[in-house]
């Protein structure tokens, strides 16, 4: 039996075909049918063999670990795979580069993975790889970030549009349905950001008395602080601020403090703060009264369910095309059910 592998796959010199596929993905073109040099057409059930009778290799192509949500996702995938002694794991980190992610996914295919879990850098990056996996009989689980193709076995994610609708609607309600707000959005082009921005558009369309300033970050604390510094300098009269992630919110609060906005002012909704996800540092801010609302977007549940779904596929069982994860809403009244005060800010409870 092979020893357990949980490594970041290093790629060799890419073939010319991969360079072409990378250009397609970066340019955001529709899926193309990629010719395969070798048609493996893997039958994951291998007639006559039970799941436990053979070894399996799963590749996880992570868009990045530039924010702690995606680190927690990778940790959850590693922890769940470790429960199966005959399943091995290869991990890549694209560092938010679509071109690198295409190369990463091609490398995973070259290494002979039996299934692939993909957290895509943008809507289009996985399309050619999904076509290739379909031709070779390799099942794919898409996690968190929507892709433009339907060539996958199952999609594990919360409803990003619904979360954005709920989050921004709560902010609008808290400030009385009128006023000036800022929305600090997620990484441009990434599936969750596209879906959430659609939700924000809908809310703003319903409330013409809301003036919104919108700028994008990348879901990291540093980007939240940087964007908030820019916004508060140009717009010191904000009634409310909505962040696309709790990690950005913590960075944004640092910027607000530096601009002379005290914790007491934030507790008094001057400005009112809301955000999305269950970043523990953000939950602590809600516990302290600085933030008023968030919706849990749980990376550990995403990771565990992705692996469980792949194991079901390996066993020859069916999985639903889409697997939405329940969204828990958090306020000061129920935050104690979610926050871990004895854990660091970067800890994710779910």
């Amino acid at each position: 039996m092979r020893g357990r592998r949980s490594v970041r796959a290093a790629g060799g010199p890419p073939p010319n075909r991969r360079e072409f596929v990378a250009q397609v993905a970066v340019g955001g073109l529709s899926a193309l049918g990629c010719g395969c040099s070798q048609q493996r057409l893997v039958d994951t059930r291998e007639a006559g063999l039970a799941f436990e009778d053979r070894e399996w290799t799963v590749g996880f192509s992570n868009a990045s670990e530039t924010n702690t949500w995606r680190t927690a996702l990778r940790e959850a995938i590693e922890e769940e795979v470790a429960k199966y002694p005959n399943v091995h794991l290869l991990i890549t980190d694209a560092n938010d580069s679509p071109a690198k992610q295409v190369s990463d996914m091609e490398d995973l295919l070259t290494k002979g993975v039996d299934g692939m879990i993909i957290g895509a850098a943008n809507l289009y990056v996985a399309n050619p790889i999904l076509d290739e996996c379909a031709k070779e009989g390799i099942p794919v689980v898409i996690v968190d970030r929507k892709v433009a193709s339907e060539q996958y076995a199952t999609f594990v994610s919360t409803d990003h549009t619904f979360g954005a609708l709920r989050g921004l609607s709560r902010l609008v309600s808290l400030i009385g349905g009128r006023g000036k707000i800022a929305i600090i959005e997620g990484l441009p082009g990434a599936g969750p950001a596209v879906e959430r921005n659609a939700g924000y558009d809908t809310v703003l369309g319903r409330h013409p008395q809301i003036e919104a300033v919108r700028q994008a970050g990348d879901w990291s604390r540093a980007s939240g602080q940087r964007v908030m510094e820019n916004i508060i300098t140009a717009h010191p009269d904000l009634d409310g601020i909505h962040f696309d992630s709790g990690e950005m919110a913590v960075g944004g609060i640092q910027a607000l403090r530096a601009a002379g906005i005290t914790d007491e002012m934030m507790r008094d909704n001057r400005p009112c703060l809301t955000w999305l996800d269950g970043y523990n540092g953000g939950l602590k801010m809600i516990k302290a009264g600085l933030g008023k609302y968030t919706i849990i977007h749980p990376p550990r549940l995403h990771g565990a369910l992705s692996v469980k779904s792949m194991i079901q596929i390996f066993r020859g069982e069916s999985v639903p095309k889409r697997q939405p994860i329940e969204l828990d809403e958090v306020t000061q009244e129920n935050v104690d059910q979610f926050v871990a005060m004895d854990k660091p800010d970067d800890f994710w409870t779910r």
Side-chain angles (χ1 to χ4, degrees), residues 210-253:
I210 293 291
E211 177 187 354
V213 178
R214 301 171 68 169
Q215 291 187 29
D218 62 10
W219 293 308
S220 69
R221 182 183 297 203
S223 75
Q225 182 172 359
R226 180 183 67 254
V227 175
M228 190 73 261
E229 287 171 350
N230 295 336
I231 291 177
I232 201 63
T233 299
H235 305 276
D237 55 341
L238 294 173
D239 298 296
I241 305 166
H242 179 77
F243 299 88
D244 209 60
S245 81
E247 191 167 351
M248 288 200 297
V250 173
I253 288 171

Side-chain angles (χ1 to χ4, degrees), residues 27-333:
L29 300 179
S30 60
L32 297 178
C34 298
C36 301
S37 58
Q38 185 178 9
Q39 295 291 323
R40 288 188 288 131
L41 296 175
V42 176
D43 180 359
T44 58
R45 291 181 293 279
E46 291 199 350
L49 286 178
F51 166 76
E52 294 80 6
D53 292 337
R54 58 157 289 186
E55 294 185 355
W56 307 81
T57 299
V58 175
F60 172 42
S61 174
N62 200 354
S64 75
E65 291 199 22
T66 53
N67 63 79
T68 60
W69 193 97
R70 303 206 66 79
T71 299
L73 173 69
R74 184 257 303 160
E75 292 172 347
I77 287 173
E78 290 177 316
E79 291 165 5
E80 190 66 28
V81 167
K83 297 177 182 178
Y84 303 93
N86 62 325
V87 179
H88 311 281
L89 181 63
L90 296 173
I91 301 173
T92 62
D93 176 1
N95 197 29
D96 284 323
S97 166
K100 184 178 186 305
Q101 188 164 32
V102 171
S103 176
D104 289 345
M105 291 185 289
E106 286 281 2
D107 286 339
L108 291 173
L109 291 182
T110 299
K111 292 177 185 297
V113 296
D114 300 294
M116 193 178 298
I117 300 172
I118 299 174
N122 64 33
L123 286 169
Y124 304 98
V125 66
N127 287 8
I129 302 299
L130 291 173
D131 283 349
E132 190 166 346
C133 285
K135 289 180 179 180
E136 297 196 22
I138 299 171
V140 177
V141 174
I142 300 296
V143 59
D144 177 44
R145 297 187 176 188
K146 183 179 179 180
V147 295
S149 170
E150 291 286 318
Q151 294 271 40
Y152 55 80
T154 187
F155 177 32
V156 175
S157 181
T158 55
D159 187 331
H160 292 288
T161 301
F162 176 79
L165 283 165
R166 295 287 290 179
L168 190 59
S169 293
R170 180 59 64 94
L171 177 62
V172 170
S173 175
L174 287 169
I175 66 172
R178 64 176 65 223
K180 186 176 184 179
I181 68 170
I183 304 173
I184 300 182
E185 302 170 352
L187 183 68
V194 172
E195 295 175 82
R196 292 176 185 179
N197 289 349
Y200 299 147
D201 292 341
T202 298
V203 174
L204 295 175
R206 295 172 180 171
H207 297 277
Q209 293 179 305
I210 293 291
E211 177 187 354
V213 178
R214 301 171 68 169
Q215 291 187 29
D218 62 10
W219 293 308
S220 69
R221 182 183 297 203
S223 75
Q225 182 172 359
R226 180 183 67 254
V227 175
M228 190 73 261
E229 287 171 350
N230 295 336
I231 291 177
I232 201 63
T233 299
H235 305 276
D237 55 341
L238 294 173
D239 298 296
I241 305 166
H242 179 77
F243 299 88
D244 209 60
S245 81
E247 191 167 351
M248 288 200 297
V250 173
I253 288 171
Q254 292 175 316
L256 292 172
R257 287 168 172 165
I261 297 174
T262 66
D263 287 8
E264 192 57 39
M265 292 170 67
M266 285 182 270
R267 290 190 186 96
D268 196 36
N269 287 348
R270 295 180 292 131
C272 181
L273 307 181
T274 61
W275 53 81
L276 301 182
D277 82 32
Y279 178 67
N280 198 45
L283 296 176
K284 290 178 181 178
M285 294 296 101
I286 293 178
K287 173 77 172 176
L290 307 187
K292 301 304 164 68
Y293 179 87
T294 191
I295 293 181
I296 298 295
H297 177 52
R300 298 192 185 281
L301 292 181
H302 278 73
L305 183 55
S306 296
V307 175
K308 290 176 181 176
S309 298
M310 186 63 73
I311 300 304
Q312 283 183 267
I313 295 168
F314 287 164
R315 292 183 185 276
E317 302 169 7
S318 62
V319 293
K321 187 72 173 181
R322 287 171 175 79
Q323 299 189 67
I325 293 176
E326 183 178 354
L327 290 163
D328 292 304
E329 301 180 71
V330 181
T331 64
Q332 288 176 273
E333 287 69 34

